[in-house]
Amino acid sequence: MSPTSEFWAAVGVVGILYVAGILGNLPLLIFAGSGLTAWLLISAMLTSSTLVETHDSVSVHVVSDTKQVALGEQIKLPVTVSASEPVSHPVTVDVEFPAGIDASNVTLQLSPGQYQAREVIPVSLPLAGRFTLPKMTVRYVSGDGLFTQSVSLESGVTITATPRGPEGIHVGTGGERTKLFGGHNGRWYTDRGDDVASTREYQPGDAFRRIDWKATARLDEPIVREFDSDQELRIHVVVDAQSRLRAGTSGRTKLDYLREVAMRTVAGAEMNDNPLSLTIVNDDGIQTATDLARTNDHYQRARDSLLALDTSVSGTRVAPPPINSDNPVSAQWKAEVFRRRDETTFTRTLGPYFRRGGSFDPGESDDHLFNAVQRHVSRGNAGGTTVIFTDDEQRRRLMDIVQLATWKRGKATVCLTPTALFDEGDDSSAHTFERLSDFEEYRRSLDQLPGVAALEVGPDNRLKSVLNGRNP
């Protein structure tokens, strides 16, 4: 409770009465000053009790069914101040919005005898992110105007503003859509749930079908197998946000599409209570890096980081991959697939020749995406599922990155945007189809590596038009 200017004016009058009474030897003035002082004290005590009662009877409600809006979209935010009975003192509610929010600050007031006031405020969010709004201050004024009390309130309404993402997002393989999640425990669909992860001693309650009979006979004690699907799924999301990923048209860049799928990945992890980490790289290096966690705040911070990405069109371009299925890069990929599948004398002999263009090297690198994956592997996070969001422009280096991600029985899902679908300068449907076919061969080679799944991500309508032989 704070005194108002009227209170201090009354205090001034008390002072004048005392001074005049003492200097003029006028007891009546001194008596009047004492009476006025007593009145101020009594008023303060009564007001304190009254304002507490008024505060307990007054409530402020902000109701919004909207939890998420697109940037620039206007919503209506109703604010209501009400009392259980008509108030005896003025009650004022100041509704304020933070900077960057397109909304007008308003003031609601309950005059003596009123018990409700309501205002509907138009609000739009021009910036991406999560906002708790509005901020409110309730001010109570005593009936005599001598005292006031202010209480700050949070509305508890949280609204997330998201960029207007592209429509018609395709996620799939070979032009066919696929689901991101599936299987026991909502595991990432690339996990090979029937792979044996480890063995251990039999414990009462273990299913007999899990018994490893060969190990049991060898060790002369019951041994059971544990599978990958039994292990806790840890998801490491790595997003490549370098300038070359901002190719395309406004609102429909490679990064726009990848971000939408990354947001779905975070939502899926939250839905299944999977620990998740997020790493974002840009042209300067690692921009965002979080450790594994599965709290509501952690998932929300991951979404906020993705929403804050700059996806505006960039003029930076990298030369598109060559279209030649027999080029050294393709040969290297094929040799690596064969080597991993079937380690024979033939592949061991020819492997060094195929890999002379650049072999797996987990050392230091000037590639930001590689360093991002290396970071979480070096921090003891190997063995989870790394979900990489990038494009197909640096194919050879991506092989090293995937090898690193699948180290120590790790899994990798690679979400790739085909450059052919985002090159606005290519008006030839036949040429685009040829480039897309080359991408598909590359994606399949990647997809065939153990523990790896590769998906194409892009505009569904353009993909269909190229596959159907029509002009994009």
Side-chain angles (χ1 to χ4, degrees):
M1 189 173 70
S2 302
T4 64
S5 58
E6 287 82 356
F7 172 85
W8 293 116
V11 170
V13 171
V14 170
I16 293 174
L17 291 174
Y18 276 126
V19 171
I22 293 172
L23 294 179
N25 194 22
L26 299 172
L28 186 61
L29 293 181
I30 297 175
F31 179 77
S34 300
L36 188 54
T37 300
W39 176 72
L40 290 176
L41 293 175
I42 294 173
S43 177
M45 290 187 291
L46 294 177
T47 298
S48 177
S49 175
T50 303
L51 291 184
V52 169
E53 293 177 359
T54 303
H55 175 67
D56 291 340
S57 69
V58 172
S59 59
V60 182
H61 297 284
V62 181
V63 181
S64 176
D65 295 330
T66 304
K67 302 301 180 185
Q68 182 170 308
V69 298
L71 289 184
E73 178 183 355
Q74 189 179 87
I75 61 172
K76 303 293 186 180
L77 200 64
V79 180
T80 303
V81 54
S82 58
S84 57
E85 58 184 20
V87 297
S88 57
H89 308 298
V91 177
T92 303
V93 179
D94 295 323
V95 182
E96 300 177 336
F97 293 87
I101 304 301
D102 188 5
S104 299
N105 297 335
V106 299
T107 298
L108 285 77
Q109 183 166 341
L110 292 179
S111 299
Q114 293 182 330
Y115 64 90
Q116 188 178 75
R118 186 172 187 268
E119 185 83 24
V120 178
I121 308 171
V123 178
S124 62
L125 307 177
L127 301 175
R130 181 178 48 158
F131 302 90
T132 299
L133 48 89
K135 177 183 177 182
M136 297 176 295
T137 302
V138 184
R139 290 186 289 114
Y140 305 95
V141 181
S142 63
D144 51 25
L146 297 178
F147 300 95
T148 183
Q149 182 173 357
S150 298
V151 179
S152 296
L153 299 177
E154 293 290 343
S155 67
V157 174
T158 300
I159 301 177
T160 300
T162 61
R164 294 183 182 273
E167 298 179 355
I169 302 176
H170 169 87
V171 181
T173 58
E176 298 294 328
R177 288 179 177 267
T178 188
K179 293 183 178 180
L180 294 178
F181 287 90
H184 172 67
N185 191 33
R187 69 172 181 271
W188 196 259
Y189 88 101
T190 59
D191 277 3
R192 312 308 193 226
D194 55 353
D195 286 350
V196 177
S198 61
T199 58
R200 59 172 174 81
E201 293 183 5
Y202 174 86
Q203 296 178 358
D206 287 334
F208 286 106
R209 61 182 177 82
R210 291 175 175 264
I211 295 178
D212 187 330
W213 296 106
K214 292 183 179 180
T216 298
R218 184 173 64 254
L219 300 175
D220 197 26
E221 62 178 343
I223 299 296
V224 297
R225 294 169 293 184
E226 289 189 326
F227 299 90
D228 282 338
S229 57
D230 298 325
Q231 309 299 315
E232 180 180 62
L233 176 58
R234 295 168 295 165
I235 299 176
H236 308 282
V237 175
V238 182
V239 179
D240 187 351
Q242 298 180 77
S243 55
R244 73 173 193 281
L245 273 297
R246 287 151 54 193
T249 58
S250 179
R252 297 172 63 86
T253 65
K254 293 178 181 179
L255 190 54
D256 280 314
Y257 284 90
L258 291 175
R259 176 172 61 182
E260 289 297 313
V261 181
M263 293 280 286
R264 298 179 190 178
T265 305
V266 174
E270 182 176 21
M271 177 181 63
N272 293 293
D273 197 30
N274 298 133
L276 175 134
S277 70
L278 172 66
T279 305
I280 299 175
V281 300
N282 58 19
D283 293 334
D284 298 323
I286 296 179
Q287 169 188 338
T288 300
T290 68
D291 293 326
L292 282 167
R294 54 181 171 194
T295 65
N296 292 336
D297 286 344
H298 180 75
Y299 295 126
Q300 186 58 55
R301 284 194 298 270
R303 279 189 285 266
D304 291 343
S305 296
L306 292 170
L307 289 173
L309 287 176
D310 179 11
T311 64
S312 58
V313 178
S314 170
T316 303
R317 289 282 292 115
V318 176
I323 303 175
N324 180 2
S325 60
D326 294 324
N327 62 43
V329 175
S330 297
Q332 177 190 352
W333 274 73
K334 294 174 182 177
E336 184 65 22
V337 172
F338 291 140
R339 183 187 69 78
R340 287 198 173 196
R341 283 180 162 182
D342 184 19
E343 187 74 20
T344 64
T345 303
F346 174 76
T347 57
R348 282 196 299 269
T349 302
L350 294 184
Y353 295 95
F354 284 117
R355 294 194 296 273
R356 66 182 181 271
S359 60
F360 171 69
D361 176 16
E364 290 296 324
S365 169
D366 58 358
D367 184 277
H368 301 320
L369 189 60
F370 183 96
N371 292 335
V373 175
Q374 185 185 41
R375 175 186 177 275
H376 82 73
V377 170
S378 65
R379 293 168 67 92
N381 293 324
T385 295
T386 303
V387 190
I388 302 171
F389 295 87
T390 186
D391 63 4
D392 65 330
E393 291 193 358
Q394 297 182 356
R395 298 184 177 184
R396 179 177 300 191
R397 194 52 174 160
L398 188 56
M399 165 63 102
D400 293 340
I401 294 170
V402 170
Q403 285 181 301
L404 181 59
T406 56
W407 187 46
K408 289 188 177 180
R409 299 184 62 81
K411 312 293 183 183
T413 295
V414 187
C415 295
L416 293 169
T417 49
T419 301
L421 296 180
F422 293 86
D423 193 346
E424 298 299 318
D426 190 354
D427 295 329
S428 169
S429 179
H431 185 247
T432 301
F433 181 83
E434 185 180 4
R435 293 174 61 191
L436 193 59
S437 299
D438 180 67
F439 165 84
E440 175 59 17
E441 180 180 353
Y442 169 85
R443 187 202 62 77
R444 288 183 180 180
S445 298
L446 181 60
D447 191 68
Q448 291 172 358
L449 293 175
V452 178
L455 307 173
E456 71 250 7
V457 176
D460 186 63
N461 57 349
R462 182 167 172 81
L463 176 62
K464 287 180 179 178
S465 90
V466 172
L467 294 180
N468 292 335
R470 299 193 299 270
N471 290 327

